């Protein structure tokens, strides 16, 4: 196994992890979108950011 594949395998997050990356990317301009879908993705973005901030705060508070 080459070094590149080892690194790629280490950072492989699977389908669930890829959602967190995909939700912050711009959608396909050819795909039809509506207001409800945009709001849902916006709320998901806010939720992910707040969750990550809470985890970071908890780790800092726990170890410092």
């Amino acid at each position: 196994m080459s070094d590149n594949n080892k690194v790629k395998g280490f950072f492989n997050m699977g389908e669930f992890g890829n959602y967190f990356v995909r939700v912050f990317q711009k959608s396909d301009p050819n795909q039809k979108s509506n207001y409800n879908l945009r709001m849902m993705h916006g709320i998901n973005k806010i939720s992910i950011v707040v969750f990550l901030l809470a985890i970071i705060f908890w780790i800092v508070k726990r170890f410092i």
Side-chain angles (χ1 to χ4, degrees):
M1 184 179 263
S2 70
D3 290 335
N4 190 21
N5 287 339
K6 288 180 185 179
V7 172
K8 191 174 183 179
F10 180 76
F11 288 106
N12 187 7
M13 296 182 292
E15 190 170 330
F16 178 73
N18 285 338
Y19 174 76
F20 292 107
V21 175
R22 197 173 60 236
V23 77
F24 289 102
Q25 294 175 348
K26 292 287 184 186
S27 62
D28 184 15
N30 298 328
Q31 184 179 8
K32 186 178 178 183
S33 179
N34 61 21
Y35 179 76
N36 293 330
L37 186 62
R38 289 194 316 264
M39 289 299 109
M40 180 190 71
H41 286 295
I43 291 170
N44 284 349
K45 290 176 189 178
I46 294 168
S47 299
I48 291 168
V49 169
V50 169
F51 174 75
L52 292 176
L53 288 174
I55 293 294
I56 292 169
F57 177 77
W58 180 79
I59 289 171
V60 168
K61 185 178 176 183
R62 182 86 174 160
F63 292 111
I64 293 180

